[in-house]
Amino acid sequence: MTKRVILAATLALAAGTAQAADMDMPGQLSWSAYDMGSTGYNQAVAIGSAMKSAYGTNLRLLPGKNDIARSEPLRQGKVDFTAAGIGGVYMAQEGVFEFGAERWGPQKVRVLLQNAGAKFGFALAVTKETCEKAGKPGCEGFTYSDLRGLKVGHIKGSPAINVAIEALLAYGGLTWDDVEAVDFGGYGDSWRGLADGNIDATYSSTTAGTAYEVEAGPRGLYWPPIDASDAAGIQRMQDVAPYFAPMTATDGAGLSADNGVGAASYPYPVLIAMEEQDADLVYKQTRAMVETFDAYKDAAPAADGWDIKAQNLEWLVPFHDGAIRYFKEAGIWTDAAQAHNDRMIARQDALAAAWEELQAEKPADWEAAWAEKRHAALAAGGFKPVF
């Protein structure tokens, strides 16, 4: 974002804050979010507290153990918004993995805001006991390749987490076939498995509340590093998860500005709505989060990543018209952002049309037919299929 755009945004936000009391916010809003104790849930609690103080709005949180559990109430209109990970945003849009099932299909989700500027990352958390099993006591020199033959958490109904794990294993030159996958019903369950010594590694953001708990426990916590200079490893990782980028995490369990670790990163959480959500409500929710930012940015780990100045307005999922309305008022929405947004909406339209065609065809092997139809539709529109 240019200095001119940042200045315009700062001036607009200052004016907007003075008018906050004049915004007619609903008495209650509802979000679905990750399990209690997760980074996303803790941030949602902090945001809800800030909105309660500023507007008297109660934020009702519906925790879900996996992407499907969080996406279902959004699709059914039982919640207004979802604080989602990449699964509930990108994979839902793409109609892949669990979202490729016949009862789901590509979803026309829209972004309000991203937590895109935080200093936390994503990694596979291990314990000192894990390192000992790999023959590296004290975790000296332990890396992803050392997970070979060990037990790794696999979350049912969470393609985002499982693909992320696959990508991190790929960085270490491994696949799911090289480890022992242990199924869990939810993200929090896998952390309890790690804490109890039932598994050797599980996926997490470095700031998850459960990570701090394990760090303080008898088994301790270690984050295997990702070396950004390892071009081959990074390529293997991005071949599986193209949205992953290497970074240095300095926020999280056992981490600090002076003690960071190489990790993977993408915006998390991302606040989303369905395409048909009322634009005025989306505008108010977006504006409220920006105007109360100072009240919640330090109230939960990594909550400062919701800063409007950190938004990637040319991302891989389109923004909602209500959010765009606010961005225009803030002076940060550009012609390039609009053109990109239109292109991403066209991608969603191409996927939706392909899905409707397939439903009319009623193929015997839905999974195979959808994979072929999806690739053909995206290629015809000049879009990269990715999955």
Side-chain angles (χ1 to χ4, degrees):
M1 192 177 291
T2 66
K3 291 182 178 179
R4 184 175 66 180
V5 169
I6 292 174
L7 177 60
T10 302
L11 293 174
L13 296 180
T17 301
Q19 300 170 0
D22 298 329
M23 186 164 61
D24 182 23
M25 285 288 287
Q28 178 172 290
L29 289 168
S30 56
W31 294 12
S32 57
Y34 274 76
D35 286 355
M36 294 182 184
S38 68
T39 296
Y41 188 90
N42 293 340
Q43 290 178 12
V45 170
I47 291 166
S49 178
M51 291 199 300
K52 176 68 173 178
S53 296
Y55 311 104
T57 299
N58 291 305
L59 179 58
R60 181 177 66 88
L61 296 176
L62 180 63
K65 288 186 174 184
N66 54 51
D67 294 320
I68 296 297
R70 290 182 293 274
S71 298
E72 188 68 71
L74 182 71
R75 181 171 72 156
Q76 293 182 2
K78 293 181 178 179
V79 296
D80 302 306
F81 308 106
T82 293
I86 201 71
V89 187
Y90 187 53
M91 294 175 187
Q93 167 185 274
E94 296 296 306
V96 293
F97 302 105
E98 277 83 345
F99 294 101
E102 194 169 357
R103 63 178 294 269
W104 271 95
Q107 302 295 300
K108 291 192 174 183
V109 294
R110 296 288 189 272
V111 176
L112 280 73
L113 289 168
Q114 314 149 339
N115 186 318
K119 299 174 183 177
F120 69 92
F122 295 91
L124 288 181
V126 304
T127 65
K128 293 178 180 178
E129 193 174 271
T130 305
C131 298
E132 291 173 3
K133 288 182 180 180
K136 295 188 174 177
C139 296
E140 183 69 29
F142 184 94
T143 187
Y144 283 96
S145 61
D146 292 308
L147 288 169
R148 184 182 298 274
L150 299 183
K151 296 178 179 179
V152 178
H154 180 276
I155 315 303
K156 295 179 180 178
S158 287
I161 292 179
N162 297 327
V163 169
I165 295 171
E166 182 181 350
L168 292 169
L169 291 173
Y171 168 80
L174 306 177
T175 70
W176 277 110
D177 291 335
D178 297 309
V179 300
E180 182 179 346
V182 179
D183 283 335
F184 290 93
Y187 168 85
D189 296 335
S190 71
W191 267 102
R192 284 186 285 276
L194 184 68
D196 293 341
N198 295 324
I199 57 172
D200 302 302
T202 193
Y203 178 74
S204 179
S205 68
T206 57
T207 52
T210 43
Y212 292 93
E213 294 173 11
V214 172
E215 180 200 14
R219 290 186 170 85
L221 183 72
Y222 181 72
W223 304 106
I226 288 177
D227 181 0
S229 67
D230 180 1
I234 298 301
Q235 185 61 57
R236 290 194 300 270
M237 179 178 74
Q238 293 179 332
D239 283 344
V240 177
Y243 42 82
F244 261 165
M247 54 87 71
T248 299
T250 57
D251 195 356
L255 305 179
S256 67
D258 299 322
N259 182 38
V261 68
S265 181
Y266 59 82
Y268 166 80
V270 179
L271 189 65
I272 61 171
M274 299 305 293
E275 174 194 32
E276 61 269 19
Q277 179 61 272
D278 180 70
D280 285 340
L281 182 63
V282 173
Y283 167 84
K284 290 175 181 179
Q285 176 66 92
T286 306
R287 178 178 163 185
M289 283 186 65
V290 175
E291 291 181 343
T292 60
F293 177 69
D294 286 341
Y296 66 78
K297 66 179 182 180
D298 298 317
D304 59 336
W306 290 101
D307 194 336
I308 191 173
K309 293 187 279 294
Q311 301 304 303
N312 178 0
L313 301 181
E314 297 179 36
W315 199 48
L316 41 72
V317 177
F319 285 84
H320 196 284
D321 286 345
I324 293 172
R325 172 185 161 193
Y326 180 76
F327 295 150
K328 287 179 177 179
E329 289 183 3
I332 64 172
W333 192 251
T334 64
D335 290 343
Q338 185 64 57
H340 180 82
N341 213 66
D342 292 343
R343 180 68 173 159
M344 292 303 97
I345 291 174
R347 182 186 181 100
Q348 289 190 352
D349 289 343
L351 288 167
W355 186 265
E356 289 181 7
E357 289 177 8
L358 193 64
Q359 286 179 314
E361 295 169 10
K362 299 179 180 179
D365 186 343
W366 183 272
E367 183 177 347
W370 171 236
E372 181 179 352
K373 175 75 76 172
R374 179 180 174 276
H375 273 245
L378 290 173
F383 303 106
K384 186 177 180 180
V386 183
F387 299 108

